[in-house]
Amino acid sequence: MVLDKEMLVPLKRVEIVIDEDDFEEFQEICRAINIRGYTYISQAGGFGSRGNRRPNDMPLPEKNILVIIACTEEQAETLAKNISSRMKEIGGIFLISDCDWVKGPKISY
């Protein structure tokens, strides 16, 4: 399938896995740099620097959240600068990749 280039907006896709306790701080940073929209998924599982996280297998005091953002390159860079030192303290994962936003009736980036 080939999409018409006029239907697409080149953006950055940011994926962040953070602890649920740090989500409010993350939201404040997003508001401060004018990121107007994101999607989050609670109780994300996986294996990493904080060990194995299997939210369905056992009750965990700490829960991960996966956040997905489509934003401009400038916003992604600013977010990385604002959150990278915090990520070193709390762990998690922060990924930035290229993506295309398919234009629809409403744009929230």
Side-chain angles (χ1 to χ4, degrees):
M1 176 168 84
V2 178
L3 293 174
D4 181 355
K5 295 263 186 214
E6 291 182 22
M7 294 176 52
L8 304 176
V9 178
L11 294 173
K12 293 296 182 181
R13 178 184 170 125
V14 177
E15 296 170 83
I16 303 173
V17 177
I18 57 174
D19 193 277
E20 188 177 70
D21 292 341
D22 299 302
F23 188 53
E24 188 173 321
E25 178 183 352
F26 168 79
Q27 289 174 305
E28 290 172 13
I29 292 169
C30 285
R31 281 191 291 275
I33 62 175
N34 202 29
I35 290 178
R36 301 182 318 189
Y38 50 83
T39 297
Y40 70 92
I41 301 168
S42 297
Q43 298 186 350
F47 181 81
S49 62
R50 296 177 289 166
N52 200 359
R53 299 274 178 124
R54 292 184 294 208
N56 295 329
D57 289 353
M58 61 183 148
L60 288 172
E62 309 92 13
K63 293 185 171 85
N64 284 339
I65 291 180
L66 168 62
V67 183
I68 303 168
I69 303 168
C71 60
T72 65
E73 184 172 359
E74 181 181 334
Q75 288 172 316
E77 288 175 6
T78 303
L79 182 59
K81 288 176 186 172
N82 279 279
I83 204 168
S84 65
S85 63
R86 187 74 174 112
M87 294 296 287
K88 290 176 186 174
E89 295 172 28
I90 63 175
I93 189 170
F94 189 115
L95 304 172
I96 299 175
S97 56
D98 294 328
C99 70
D100 289 315
W101 179 285
V102 179
K103 291 181 184 177
K106 211 172 195 182
I107 295 182
S108 64
Y109 60 87

